[in-house]
């Protein structure tokens, strides 16, 4: 190694005496080229300016002419408007354009055609020659050839872990020491690359790093670079905006955001809120709004998706108020939503469906959701469902939030998937809710190592312009080293104390560097120190612009690690450990903040927390015009949520797709899990509707009977299948493809549910509806990712969660951690979730069919949770007239045979077999059995509560469905493979004796028969319960159940469930 370097350095010295080698080397260095962005915005064309009619134009010529018409109207993105046009054009709501509708649409938008030309263009769109143009065909034909998704897809064949960076030519301003010697080392490395190749150079550098460690050089983490700005001042692009105008706007946004929270709490009610978080990211937010973030009309997708820190919600409200999108009444009712006048505490699409898109305040879920959304945007693109080539996902994350396991996973997934459309902004204000994030170390440096190790491009924005002058003048690296050795806790203290003399003493004097700041007064030093990079608009823009370039031309995700100050511009808040809990500004705070922001309010006005404290921009003001101009250029306002009306776009299949089990299984034994797989397969084969189904599996496809899907629908793999699978010679081979429909999530329910959410909300995020089915071991659903499912409800998700291998005793061998009997009860606590527990195949199909109708036929924002069991039994024929009861939650499956006494047996899921098996035994006791199938105790109770309220408040008295079915006073026994609390939801609405059997104890491994006897939900337990109910009702002697108890071997004594 040393010999190689010596040869290279000798060659370089010789070259300076006349050899041309260095010049050749210099000419071989790649230029630092930067691609210019094509800024575009969309809009609805007016249709003005009819084209001249020629009788023989081709389809391509007609499309070109149509595009030229749109360009005259300022429209550059056709695909993003297709949903709006289709819905408007489809006058007869047939979900397909007939030739007359198609021609009327084209004529309206300025394209006049002869009859033959219209037929030519119609056939161009009508790919399947059906005589009607579906929404998918319309969008595809209008959009044209799908552009390449990203540069990262072109790098798939390179060595793993060495995907290119778009930032290779950026060189930070580090200490040079001896300039000539530094240049000589750089040129030596270039010589090694030229003569020995890149591989030799790479391993040589590994050797050097190891040697450095052996010599005690502090470079143990090569992924961490010196604590300097990644982009030096000399390479910053020119700032594109009017700084003075932007500062005025920023000051008003910052003021309104803080006063909104403070005054709301002064008016009483203890509504809470947060001031410090938005204060720390306001500058980043404003630069993004003015110059970076793409709105819904930008083109190449449905705009950027911005995931903001939840605690910063007052900032977007403040800006939206200035833009005229929120009313003063809403701002004055911050966190007062009950009467429909206010705004929500955090980003909540459920509560503000036209404003917020992405809920983020459950720490860690925002970053994880953002990453999987970026991944799903690529999935949509590669499957040809939507052009998302210009949609980026920007996610803000606090440095404290980065400790969440979900946040850590998000980083790893983004790097592994090479999501160059994903940009993380790590807000390093050094503080979490109680105190410093890393008081004893450096969170920025730690984070850099994590992100670089995961495969991110890292942009550090640490120092503002003035303080950065000291950094870039640091000729020997001693100042940088001093700052790297100053713990974050001390930095926070210095910012909070705001004392220039203390900064001089604790940083510069302590490290013998007083000469570096001798030319500054204490006030000048403090001013520079109190303006980190995260509050310098020029530094921010440079970082965000570079991140844009990385997204367009790089092969990695990007993180911008930005140093900010929590509570910036509010000195009594800034850097304090209590800043997160500070909800109010006192008089002194208000006055100093007003003066700093230049707000034209008097002292008297500040003391009264009323509407005059919220500033608006008058119509016609230059500031308002500036905001509108920049947002129009970027495609519209953000945040904005614009869902498409799925019912107007997609034709859902008829009953024939779901009818395969209406006649039963004809003697064949099947589990409801296998039933689901067969129904889903037929759905996925149902034309355009089927193409829009997305299936997520968590590495258990064979368990759920889905392995047959692999060769047909294929597993999504953005870089293709670059290996030969071990089962390549088999019919059910493991097949992967970029346009694969199945999303194989591996052993990650947390990741799968985020993919599911991205799909379940794509009807809004990209106006490209997809219908997700996530099938998983039921125990690892609501119990493991319940917080994410709650987030899905907030986001107005639409889709199916299939809790497979359900049942405390049906999944017999797996034991305590797998046997689920409580997820249906947990699902009941989620207002937007409908939980079902089907026993039979036709029930499963009917529930799925109804879910599709509600979600896509009626545009309801609901989630269906359906259990599926792995116990095989013959599936019966569908009884006549039971469909209403299946959906409402209860219907009579079988009438009782004539007998002296009658009981009702109510059951669900696979335990229905135990109820049916009890019929002949009870017949021996002279008891006939009515059998009722309870598909959803949850839906029964919800409807009953609704009717109760209506009657209580003097409305129409309606008897709930459960009382109509079970309210006559008969003896009723309910038995399920759930905890007893699930059937007990309807207790008060059941007439007569109501006995509930369930599995309340922990699961365990054993045969099904033994487990059902242990939990007392087997056939004999049903018999004993029925007899006891009849005895309690005085219809049979008490000795009858006593004799049955003895006969079947039951014992009265049983340990408490906490002991077993």
């Amino acid at each position: 190694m040393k010999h190689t370097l010596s040869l290279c350095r000798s060659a370089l010295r010789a070259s300076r005496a006349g050899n041309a080698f260095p010049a050749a080397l210099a000419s071989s260095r790649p230029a630092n080229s930067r691609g210019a962005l094509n800024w575009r915005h969309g809009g609805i064309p007016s249709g003005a300016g009819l084209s001249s009619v020629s009788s023989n134009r081709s389809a391509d010529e007609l499309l070109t002419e149509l595009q030229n018409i749109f360009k005259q109207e300022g429209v550059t993105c056709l695909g993003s408007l297709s949903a709006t046009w289709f819905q408007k054009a489809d006058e007869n709501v047939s979900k397909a354009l007939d030739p007359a509708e198609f021609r009327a649409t084209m004529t309206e938008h300025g394209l006049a055609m002869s009859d033959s030309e219209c037929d030519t263009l119609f056939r161009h769109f009508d790919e399947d020659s059906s005589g009607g143009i579906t929404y998918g065909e319309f969008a595809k034909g209008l959009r044209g050839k799908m552009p390449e998704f990203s540069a990262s897809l072109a790098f798939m064949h390179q060595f793993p872990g060495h995907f290119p960076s778009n930032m290779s030519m950026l060189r930070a301003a580090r200490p040079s020491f001896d300039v000539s010697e530094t240049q000589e080392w750089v040129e030596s490395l270039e010589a090694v690359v030229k003569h020995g190749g890149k591989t030799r150079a790479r391993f040589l550098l590994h050797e050097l790093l190891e040697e450095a460690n052996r010599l005690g050089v502090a470079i143990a983490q090569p992924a961490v670079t010196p604590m300097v700005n990644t982009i030096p001042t000399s390479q910053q692009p020119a700032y594109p905006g009017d700084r003075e105008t932007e500062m005025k706007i920023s000051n008003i946004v910052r003021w309104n955001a803080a006063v909104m929270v403070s005054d709301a709490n002064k008016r009483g009610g203890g509504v809470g809120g947060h001031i410090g978080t938005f204060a720390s990211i306001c500058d980043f937010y404003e630069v993004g709004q003015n110059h970076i973030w793409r709105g819904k009309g930008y083109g190449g997708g449905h705009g950027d998706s911005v995931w903001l820190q939840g605690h910063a919600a007052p900032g977007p409200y403040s800006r939206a108020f200035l833009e005229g999108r929120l009313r003063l009444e809403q701002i004055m009712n911050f966190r007062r939503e009950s009467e429909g006048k206010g705004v929500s505490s955090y980003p909540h699409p459920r509560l503000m469906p036209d404003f917020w898109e992405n809920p983020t305040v459950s720490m860690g879920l925002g970053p994880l959701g953002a990453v999987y959304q970026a991944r799903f945007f690529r999935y949509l693109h590669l499957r040809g469902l939507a052009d998302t080539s210009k949609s980026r996902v920007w996610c803000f994350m606090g440095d404290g939030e980065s400790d969440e396991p979900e946040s850590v996973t998000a980083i790893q997934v983004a790097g592994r998937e090479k999501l160059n459309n994903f940009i993380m902004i790590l807000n390093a204000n050094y503080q979490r809710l109680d105190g410093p994030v890393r008081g004893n170390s450096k969170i920025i440096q730690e984070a850099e190592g994590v992100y670089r190790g995961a495969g991110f491009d890292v942009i550090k924005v640490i120092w503002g312009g003035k303080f950065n002058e000291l950094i870039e003048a640091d000729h020997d690296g001693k100042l940088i080293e001093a700052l790297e050795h100053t713990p974050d806790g001390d930095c926070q203290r210095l910012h909070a104390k705001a004392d220039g003399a203390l900064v001089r003493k604790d940083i510069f004097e302590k490290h013998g560097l007083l000469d570096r700041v001798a030319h500054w007064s204490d006030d000048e030093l403090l001013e520079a120190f109190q303006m980190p990079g995260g509050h310098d608009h020029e530094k921010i823009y440079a970082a965000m612009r570079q991140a844009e370039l990385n997204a367009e031309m790089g092969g990695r995700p990007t993180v911008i690690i930005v140093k900010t100050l929590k509570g910036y511009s509010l000195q009594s808040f800034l850097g304090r450990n209590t800043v997160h809990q500070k909800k109010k500004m006192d008089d002194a705070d208000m006055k100093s903040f007003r003066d700093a922001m230049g707000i034209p309010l008097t002292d008297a006005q500040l003391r009264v927390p009323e509407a005059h404290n919220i500033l608006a921009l008058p119509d016609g003001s230059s500031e308002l015009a500036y905001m509108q101009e920049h947002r129009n250029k970027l495609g519209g306002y953000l945040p904005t949520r614009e869902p498409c009306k799925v019912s107007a776009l997609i034709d859902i299949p008829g009953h024939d797709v779901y009818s395969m089990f209406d006649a039963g299984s004809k003697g064949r034994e099947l589990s409801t899990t296998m039933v689901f797989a067969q129904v889903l397969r037929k759905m996925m084969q149902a034309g355009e509707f089927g193409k829009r189904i997305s299936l997520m599996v968590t590495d258990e496809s064979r368990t759920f009977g889905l392995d047959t899907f692999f060769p047909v629908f294929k597993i999504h793999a953005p870089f293709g299948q670059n290996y030969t699978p071990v089962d390549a010679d088999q019919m059910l081979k493991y097949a992967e493809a970029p346009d694969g429909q199945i999303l194989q999530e591996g052993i990650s329910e947390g990741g799968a549910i985020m993919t599911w959410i991205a799909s379940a909300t794509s009807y809004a995020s990209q106006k490209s509806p997809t219908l997700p089915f996530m099938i998983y071991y039921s125990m690892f659903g609501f119990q493991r990712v319940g917080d994410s499912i709650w987030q899905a409800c907030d986001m107005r998700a639409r889709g199916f969660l299939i809790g497979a291998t359900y049942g405390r005793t049906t999944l017999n061998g797996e034991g305590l951690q797998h046997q689920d009997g409580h997820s249906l009860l947990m699902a009941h606590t989620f207002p937007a979730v409908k939980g079902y527990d089907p026993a039979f195949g036709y029930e499963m199909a009917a529930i799925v069919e109804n879910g599709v109708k509600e979600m896509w036929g009626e545009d309801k924002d609901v989630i269906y949770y359906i259990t599926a069991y792995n116990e095989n039994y013959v599936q019966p024929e569908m009884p006549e007239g039971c469909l209403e009861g299946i959906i409402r939650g209860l219907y009579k499956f079988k009438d009782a045979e004539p007998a002296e006494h009658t009981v009702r047996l109510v059951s669900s899921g696979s335990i229905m077999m135990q109820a049916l098996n009890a019929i002949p035994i009870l017949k021996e006791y002279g008891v006939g059995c009515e059998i009722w199938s309870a598909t959803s105790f949850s839906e029964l109770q919800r409807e009953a509560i609704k009717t109760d309220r209506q009657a209580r408040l003097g409305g129409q008295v309606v008897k709930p469905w459960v009382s109509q079915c079970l309210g006559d006073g008969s003896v009723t026994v309910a038995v399920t493979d759930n905890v007893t609390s699930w059937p007990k939801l309807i207790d008060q609405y059941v007439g007569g004796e109501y006995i509930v059997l369930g599995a309340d104890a922990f699961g365990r491994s054993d045969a099904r028969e033994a487990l059902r006897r242990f939990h007392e939900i087997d056939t004999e337990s049903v018999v004993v319960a029925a007899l006891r109910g009849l005895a309690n009702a005085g219809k049979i002697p008490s000795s009858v159940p006593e004799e049955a108890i003895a006969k079947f071997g039951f014992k009265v004594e049983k340990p408490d469930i906490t002991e077993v």
Side-chain angles (χ1 to χ4, degrees):
M1 177 182 70
K2 295 178 181 178
H3 179 65
T4 303
L5 281 175
S6 298
L7 286 175
C8 293
R9 294 176 70 176
S10 297
L12 288 165
R13 290 191 183 98
S15 73
R16 292 187 179 123
N19 195 310
F21 175 61
L25 265 182
S27 66
S28 68
R29 296 178 189 170
N32 187 18
S33 59
R34 296 184 177 218
L37 286 178
N38 178 21
W39 298 102
R40 298 180 285 178
H41 69 280
I44 302 299
S46 67
L50 293 176
S51 63
S52 60
V53 180
S54 171
S55 61
N56 58 355
R57 289 171 292 176
S58 67
D60 289 340
E61 289 172 330
L62 290 166
L63 285 171
T64 300
E65 186 166 345
L66 184 61
Q67 290 170 351
N68 290 334
I69 293 171
F70 293 146
K71 286 179 181 177
Q72 292 174 10
E73 297 291 330
V75 179
T76 56
C77 175
L78 308 183
S80 66
L81 301 176
S82 56
T84 305
W85 288 350
F86 188 91
Q87 185 175 333
K88 194 174 180 182
D90 187 18
E91 294 181 352
N92 60 10
V93 200
S94 64
K95 313 297 173 59
L97 300 183
D98 59 33
E101 289 174 327
F102 176 74
R103 184 162 194 168
T105 301
M106 294 297 104
T107 302
E108 180 184 349
H109 292 93
L111 183 64
M113 296 177 287
S114 66
D115 291 344
S116 62
E117 287 175 332
C118 187
D119 181 63
T120 297
L121 192 57
F122 185 90
R123 283 187 281 106
H124 166 79
F125 281 92
D126 185 18
E127 281 192 324
D128 61 0
S129 302
S130 64
I133 300 172
T134 67
Y135 166 66
E137 291 174 329
F138 188 68
K140 184 177 179 181
L142 199 60
R143 179 185 64 219
K145 185 179 179 181
M146 189 73 79
E148 288 294 325
F149 178 75
S150 70
S152 66
L153 299 181
F155 306 137
M156 53 179 282
H157 297 299
Q158 297 196 21
F159 191 86
H162 292 276
F163 283 76
S165 166
N166 190 48
M167 297 170 58
S168 59
M169 296 308 298
L170 282 175
R171 290 187 176 177
R174 303 185 182 93
S176 296
F177 298 96
D178 183 331
V179 176
S180 297
E181 184 186 30
T182 299
Q183 185 62 26
E184 187 173 311
W185 278 93
V186 171
E187 291 172 349
S188 295
L189 178 60
E190 291 174 335
V192 172
V193 172
K194 182 175 180 65
H195 294 287
K198 292 181 179 179
T199 300
R200 172 60 182 144
R202 180 163 59 86
F203 281 98
L204 179 61
L205 288 172
H206 278 294
E207 291 286 343
L208 284 172
L209 289 173
E210 290 181 8
E211 183 65 17
N213 283 326
R214 285 191 287 270
L215 294 172
V217 178
I219 192 167
Q221 299 183 60
V224 177
T225 62
M227 197 167 174
V228 301
N229 291 345
T230 302
I231 303 174
T233 304
S234 61
Q235 294 192 43
Q236 286 179 194
Y239 193 77
D242 182 336
R243 289 288 293 111
E244 183 177 350
T245 299
E246 289 185 18
M247 186 58 69
K248 290 178 183 178
I249 296 170
S250 177
N251 286 350
I252 297 174
V253 170
R254 197 186 295 272
W255 168 267
N256 283 348
V259 171
M260 182 191 315
V261 177
S262 180
D263 281 6
N265 285 278
K266 289 178 181 179
R267 289 192 292 272
V271 295
H274 304 279
I275 295 174
T277 299
F278 182 70
S280 71
I281 66 165
C282 177
D283 297 292
F284 241 97
Y285 187 76
E286 283 299 298
V287 172
Q289 287 280 13
N290 288 324
H291 305 293
I292 301 294
W293 292 330
R294 298 166 180 172
K296 300 300 185 186
Y298 183 82
H302 199 44
D304 284 349
S305 180
V306 179
W307 297 63
L308 191 72
Q309 284 176 265
H311 295 113
Y317 292 149
S318 176
R319 183 173 239 270
F321 170 68
L322 294 184
E323 294 166 337
R325 298 195 296 134
L326 292 179
R327 305 183 311 276
L328 178 61
E329 181 185 35
Q330 292 175 282
I331 298 300
M332 292 297 292
N333 283 282
F334 173 68
R335 290 195 169 199
R336 296 177 187 270
E337 304 171 81
S338 297
E339 296 181 4
K341 298 177 182 178
V343 292
S344 61
S345 54
Y346 302 119
H348 292 306
R350 175 66 59 172
L351 303 175
M352 297 179 69
D354 299 324
F355 190 82
W356 291 117
E357 277 196 295
N358 305 310
T360 55
V361 82
S362 184
M363 295 293 165
L365 295 192
L368 191 62
V371 165
Y372 278 90
Q373 187 176 80
R375 178 170 170 258
F376 197 76
F377 281 2
R378 186 175 67 185
Y379 171 89
L380 289 173
H381 192 99
L382 294 179
R383 290 203 57 229
L385 298 176
D387 174 8
T388 64
S389 58
K390 297 297 182 183
S391 286
R392 294 85 53 95
V393 177
W394 301 76
C395 178
F396 285 83
M397 180 169 71
D399 47 0
E401 187 177 4
S402 63
D403 288 338
E404 290 281 4
E406 292 88 351
S407 300
V408 176
T409 300
I411 299 167
Q412 183 262 334
V413 171
R416 180 194 73 206
E417 295 287 332
K418 304 170 188 66
L419 297 175
N420 67 311
N421 61 336
F422 177 72
I423 301 158
M424 180 77 82
I425 300 171
L426 183 66
N427 179 17
N429 59 35
Y430 293 176
Q431 293 182 252
R432 46 186 177 219
L433 309 191
D434 288 336
V437 176
R438 297 288 186 272
N440 295 302
S441 60
K442 308 296 292 183
I443 184 60
I444 289 177
Q445 301 299 86
E446 174 191 319
E448 180 186 20
V450 170
Y451 282 93
R452 283 195 192 280
F456 276 68
D457 276 329
V458 179
I459 303 172
K460 293 195 289 190
V461 185
I462 307 173
W463 313 112
K466 192 171 182 182
F467 199 87
N468 198 50
E469 293 174 8
L470 300 178
I471 301 297
E472 294 190 352
D474 184 24
H475 61 281
D476 57 6
K478 289 185 178 180
L479 175 57
I480 296 170
E481 191 175 77
L483 292 165
E484 289 174 341
H485 285 83
T486 302
D488 285 353
D490 279 335
C491 291
Q492 178 192 344
R493 171 179 57 84
L494 293 173
H495 286 301
K497 296 295 184 184
D499 183 342
L502 187 61
V503 174
R504 189 183 302 270
K505 175 177 177 291
D506 281 12
I507 292 181
F508 295 91
E509 182 180 344
K510 179 179 179 179
H511 295 93
L513 301 172
L514 283 174
D515 59 309
R516 307 295 174 92
V517 288
H519 60 299
W520 282 352
S521 67
D522 288 346
D523 287 344
E524 289 172 325
L525 175 56
L526 181 64
E527 180 184 359
F529 186 70
Q530 297 289 78
M531 173 70 82
H535 300 291
D536 184 323
H537 285 214
E538 294 182 357
K539 303 291 184 191
I540 293 169
Y541 176 74
M544 297 183 86
R545 178 67 183 129
Q546 182 63 51
E548 282 195 314
L549 294 173
N550 293 354
E552 294 223 349
M553 297 180 288
R556 308 178 182 187
T558 298
V559 62
I560 303 173
I561 304 176
V562 53
K563 176 175 166 56
T564 66
L565 300 179
K566 196 165 187 176
Y568 180 75
S569 70
L570 288 154
Q571 190 53 52
S572 63
F573 285 53
L574 191 150
R576 302 298 198 277
N577 281 340
T578 57
V579 63
H580 190 78
Q581 285 73 35
K582 289 174 79 73
K583 320 295 183 188
K584 300 178 186 177
M585 295 183 285
D586 60 25
D587 288 348
D589 293 331
M590 292 283 282
K591 291 175 184 177
S592 64
F593 190 33
R594 172 200 62 190
D595 296 342
M597 297 295 100
I599 303 300
L601 293 174
T602 66
D603 290 355
Q605 287 175 310
L606 296 180
R607 286 192 288 271
V608 182
E610 296 299 338
H612 59 254
N613 281 341
I614 303 295
L615 268 64
L617 292 173
D619 291 339
S621 69
S622 59
E623 291 83 6
L624 181 58
Y626 187 90
M627 295 172 74
Q628 292 171 338
E629 176 190 352
H630 282 72
R631 286 316 310 165
N632 287 338
K633 188 184 299 183
L634 289 169
Y637 293 116
L638 289 176
T640 300
R641 184 175 178 272
E642 295 181 359
C644 68
K645 189 174 182 181
V646 184
S647 61
L649 304 178
I650 307 298
D651 198 9
I652 60 178
H655 179 66
D656 59 301
V657 169
Y658 309 95
S659 63
M660 67 181 74
F661 290 100
D662 287 0
S665 60
K666 304 187 184 305
R668 190 160 59 106
E669 292 190 345
L670 286 174
S671 69
T672 51
T673 298
M674 296 302 111
V675 167
F676 167 75
Q678 292 187 40
V679 171
L680 180 64
R681 185 186 186 93
K682 198 163 184 180
M683 291 173 69
M684 293 176 72
Q685 292 171 332
E688 184 178 337
F689 169 83
K691 293 176 184 176
R692 291 184 175 272
I693 290 176
S694 56
L695 172 61
M696 296 93 204
V697 293
T698 54
D699 215 28
E700 288 281 359
S701 299
R702 291 177 176 83
T703 301
F704 308 139
L706 299 176
D707 48 327
T708 60
F709 285 40
F710 293 163
V712 179
F713 303 107
K714 295 184 175 59
I715 295 163
H716 178 67
F719 304 107
Q721 189 165 22
N722 302 303
Y723 67 95
T724 302
V726 67
D727 54 3
D729 57 346
Q730 300 176 19
M731 285 186 61
L732 301 183
K733 64 182 179 182
Y734 196 83
E736 299 178 84
D739 61 349
Q741 194 165 354
I742 303 168
L743 287 146
Q744 168 57 270
E745 299 295 341
I747 306 173
S748 174
E749 286 80 13
I753 192 63
M754 286 303 176
T755 301
W756 184 91
I757 292 172
S759 175
T761 57
S762 68
Y763 74 97
S765 66
Q766 286 291 341
K767 278 195 172 181
S768 179
T770 55
L771 188 63
F773 285 81
M774 175 178 161
I775 186 167
Y776 54 92
Y777 262 81
S778 61
M779 193 71 153
F780 308 129
F782 283 87
Q783 179 162 299
R784 174 169 289 189
V785 295
D787 197 10
S788 298
I789 299 173
W790 190 268
Q791 182 189 40
C793 295
D794 192 351
M795 294 178 76
R796 296 178 170 267
R798 303 174 185 174
F800 293 85
L801 298 171
I802 308 299
T805 58
Y806 192 77
R808 188 77 93 218
T809 67
T810 304
L811 181 63
N812 52 313
E814 293 294 310
L816 184 149
Q817 191 62 52
H818 289 70
Q819 291 169 345
D820 180 15
H822 53 274
S823 284
L824 281 163
L825 187 63
M826 295 177 72
H828 178 66
T829 65
F830 290 64
V833 175
K834 294 188 174 186
Y836 286 95
D837 192 27
F840 303 125
Y842 62 82
E843 292 178 354
M844 171 71 76
I847 292 165
V848 171
E849 181 179 11
N850 193 69
V852 172
K853 184 185 76 172
E854 288 197 356
M855 296 173 206
W856 279 28
E858 300 170 1
D859 292 291
K860 292 182 179 180
D861 301 331
V862 294
I863 297 168
Y864 270 47
Y865 173 62
I866 308 174
T867 62
Y869 294 77
N870 68 343
E871 183 174 1
N872 295 322
Y873 45 85
V874 174
Q875 299 296 328
E877 183 179 353
M878 182 178 183
E880 187 177 348
C882 70
L883 184 59
E884 180 184 10
I886 291 173
I887 303 308
R888 297 182 75 171
L890 182 67
Y891 70 96
K892 187 191 291 186
F893 172 72
K894 184 180 178 66
D895 283 316
E897 296 180 2
E900 185 178 355
H901 305 289
T902 301
V903 296
R904 268 190 308 242
L905 303 184
V906 179
S907 190
S908 65
S910 62
I911 292 300
M912 176 62 80
M913 296 299 103
Q914 305 303 309
L916 292 172
N917 291 339
I919 295 174
I921 301 176
L922 283 168
K923 185 177 182 180
E924 295 174 6
Y925 290 89
V927 178
C929 301
E930 254 182 26
I931 303 297
W932 289 73
S933 180
T935 54
S936 180
F937 291 101
S938 175
E939 289 302 293
L940 293 172
Q941 193 214 41
R942 286 179 176 179
E943 188 225 14
I945 289 173
K946 184 178 179 180
T947 58
D948 279 355
R949 177 192 174 275
Q950 189 169 303
R952 185 171 65 250
L953 297 178
Q956 182 182 4
V957 178
V958 178
K959 194 173 186 179
W961 181 258
V962 59
S963 296
Q964 293 179 45
C965 296
L966 308 179
D968 61 1
S970 299
V971 172
T972 302
V973 176
V975 58
T976 75
D977 215 358
N978 292 275
V979 293
T980 55
S981 298
W982 168 245
K984 280 183 175 290
L985 289 172
I986 63 169
D987 195 348
Q988 72 184 89
Y989 305 101
V990 179
E993 185 85 6
Y994 184 48
I995 300 173
V996 174
L997 304 180
D1000 287 334
F1002 286 117
R1004 58 203 60 231
S1005 299
D1006 211 320
R1008 287 191 181 119
E1009 295 77 9
L1011 289 173
R1012 287 166 179 169
R1013 171 51 63 94
F1014 174 81
H1015 289 284
E1016 296 177 357
I1017 58 171
D1018 59 350
T1019 296
E1020 291 78 7
S1021 297
V1022 174
V1023 170
V1024 168
L1027 295 175
R1028 177 62 72 188
L1030 289 170
N1032 290 346
K1035 296 183 177 181
I1036 61 174
S1038 60
S1039 60
V1040 175
E1042 297 295 339
E1043 291 171 1
I1045 290 170
K1047 176 183 177 180
F1048 296 131
F1050 288 103
K1051 297 179 180 179
V1052 175
E1053 298 79 14
K1054 187 175 183 178
D1056 186 78
I1057 60 172
T1058 61
E1059 300 172 6
V1060 294

